[in-house]
Amino acid sequence: MNSPYAKELSVAIGALQKAAQLSQSIVSEKDKGAIEKDDLSPVTVADFAVQALLTATIKNAFPEDKVVGEEDASDLRQNSVLMERVWQLLEGVAGDGDTVSLCKLPESREQMCDLIDECGASSPSATGRTWVFDPIDGTKTYLLGQLYAINTALLVDGEQIVGIVGAPNLSIDAKAPLKNEDIDPKGEGCIFFAVKGHGAYIRPLKTDQPRRLPLYTNNDISLVTSSTVNSALFRVHENVASRLNTAYPGNDLLPWVLRWAVLAMGLGNTTVWVYRRPDRYAKVWDHAGAMLLFEETGGKITDVWGRKINLAAGRMMSANFGFVGAREEHERVLQVVKEAYSEQIKLRTNMHA
């Protein structure tokens, strides 16, 4: 790809290759050092280690850029055993022959925590350059040895300009309908990347053999969603699928980053998410950059009300409610979602009247 962001791509892809190796190195271990966060979602030693690796690498190459990530280091600072496990995970790749060429590692435990905290305390900016990281998207599936992703995005003036997604256990030849348990039988994995206006690409995780993902056209609507996430409004997605005359759930994936990537692969062409509560918002690291993959293959993404997605609203995407992503059928899908949502809200109101 010829683009003005060649250095950013090179640095981020190298870091993702090493981050993928790091995360996969403990995927078979029963104890992945999982703890529970305040929102009841799990986090593992791999989440912390990958975020530290990505942040150290990006800050080394682009020291003036802002960084935003899912995790902070408060649990590590309070738990020396957990901190040591994260440090040892990073130390485990420090001696590899390719580490120096692919990434930068923290130089001490304190710097490791500081780098993680820098991400955890920051929010995307409407001006300047901001990198956004999701170190392990799909921690619940990761803990089960299922599909997960590592997300890296560059925002410039609040707009996603570069997206790089590592899918350490997703086959480059994956077929629909894809499920969380459908890991790469060859154990190879892949990387997706896109630059705004320059297309989206997929390549093997370890070899530089990219191929451009085509601009797909809609035929029959096929969904990419999740039947296992409990943040959705009750039965609204099934209702939408029925109105669109398509199978539910279609590609059934928990990690949001992978949903956008799978849409870019053409394994599905439509995604919808309506939250159960109007004050429930998406997290910026689950979507920034990954959405660009879909957009660069012909996708259009808005929220449930048809509003443009605002990635500079904060760590929580409070300017938007839910998602509607589709290609040529976006307007039709959006209208169906609005109708299904209104019907479901009326039904719920009547039940509580």
Side-chain angles (χ1 to χ4, degrees):
M1 175 197 292
N2 292 320
S3 86
Y5 293 92
K7 180 181 178 182
E8 286 83 351
L9 282 174
S10 177
V11 170
I13 287 173
L16 275 177
Q17 287 178 295
K18 211 63 192 173
Q21 177 192 333
L22 186 153
S23 62
Q24 285 290 95
S25 70
I26 63 166
V27 79
S28 62
E29 295 183 10
K30 289 185 178 180
D31 179 10
K32 298 182 179 68
I35 58 174
E36 196 172 80
K37 295 190 286 189
D38 290 341
D39 64 358
L40 303 183
S41 62
V43 58
T44 70
V45 291
D47 290 81
F48 293 118
V50 168
Q51 186 164 305
L53 183 154
L54 294 175
T55 309
T57 303
I58 293 299
K59 292 297 287 186
N60 181 63
F62 309 104
E64 301 304 315
D65 289 3
K66 191 174 187 179
V67 287
V68 175
E70 180 172 10
E71 312 303 342
D72 65 63
S74 56
D75 287 308
L76 301 187
R77 296 185 189 277
Q78 295 167 17
N79 185 332
S80 60
V81 174
L82 187 65
M83 181 193 290
E84 193 61 26
R85 286 196 63 182
V86 176
W87 180 251
Q88 290 302 319
L89 196 52
L90 290 165
E91 285 281 279
V93 300
D96 294 349
D98 61 355
T99 295
V100 173
S101 63
L102 291 179
C103 69
K104 173 74 173 176
L105 296 176
E107 296 177 358
S108 67
R109 293 165 181 80
E110 186 62 28
Q111 187 190 40
M112 174 184 76
C113 290
D114 288 345
L115 288 166
I116 294 170
D117 273 338
E118 183 175 354
C119 288
S122 299
S123 296
S125 295
T127 58
R129 289 166 49 110
T130 303
W131 291 86
V132 180
F133 308 127
D134 191 342
I136 302 286
D137 182 46
T139 301
K140 290 180 181 178
T141 46
Y142 174 72
L143 286 167
L144 296 171
Q146 298 177 350
L147 292 174
Y148 69 100
I150 302 169
N151 191 32
T152 302
L154 174 62
L155 309 183
V156 178
D157 297 336
E159 299 288 335
Q160 52 183 357
I161 298 299
V162 181
I164 314 99
V165 170
N169 58 356
L170 174 66
S171 171
I172 199 170
D173 300 313
K175 307 296 182 186
L178 196 64
K179 310 297 182 187
N180 292 314
E181 59 269 22
D182 294 337
I183 62 173
D184 185 354
K186 298 179 181 178
E188 295 176 350
C190 57
I191 289 176
F192 301 82
F193 60 94
V195 174
K196 189 172 183 177
H198 293 268
Y201 293 76
I202 188 172
R203 50 159 283 177
L205 183 65
K206 296 180 181 178
T207 56
D208 187 12
Q209 297 174 323
R211 60 177 169 85
R212 185 164 183 166
L213 294 167
L215 289 169
Y216 298 98
T217 56
N218 261 352
N219 294 310
D220 295 333
I221 287 177
S222 57
L223 287 179
V224 180
T225 186
S226 175
S227 65
T228 60
V229 179
N230 62 9
S231 64
L233 183 62
F234 179 68
R235 294 199 63 79
V236 70
H237 299 126
E238 293 92 327
N239 190 347
V240 168
S242 177
R243 290 168 183 248
L244 292 172
N245 194 31
T246 190
Y248 175 86
N251 297 274
D252 192 0
L253 299 169
L254 183 144
W256 252 117
V257 170
L258 277 187
R259 291 185 225 174
W260 295 120
V262 164
L263 285 163
M265 292 178 82
L267 302 189
N269 53 34
T270 303
T271 191
V272 169
W273 199 257
V274 182
Y275 287 108
R276 185 171 55 201
R277 302 194 320 265
D279 60 347
R280 176 67 185 261
Y281 303 118
K283 301 166 183 174
V284 68
W285 44 81
D286 287 339
H287 304 279
M291 293 190 302
L292 184 62
L293 301 173
F294 183 43
E295 291 177 341
E296 287 294 312
T297 57
K300 179 179 179 179
I301 305 165
T302 67
D303 72 0
V304 168
W305 305 123
R307 295 175 298 201
K308 178 183 176 181
I309 302 299
N310 181 355
L311 292 169
R315 293 172 65 83
M316 306 302 289
M317 297 166 62
S318 57
N320 296 106
F321 177 61
F323 296 92
V324 175
R327 292 193 169 92
E328 290 92 339
E329 295 283 347
H330 183 273
E331 290 304 315
R332 175 187 166 214
V333 174
L334 180 63
Q335 186 59 37
V336 166
V337 171
K338 289 179 179 178
E339 292 170 358
Y341 177 70
S342 297
E343 181 180 286
Q344 203 71 16
I345 291 299
K346 286 180 182 177
L347 181 63
R348 190 165 69 173
T349 301
N350 291 337
M351 287 176 62
H352 291 89

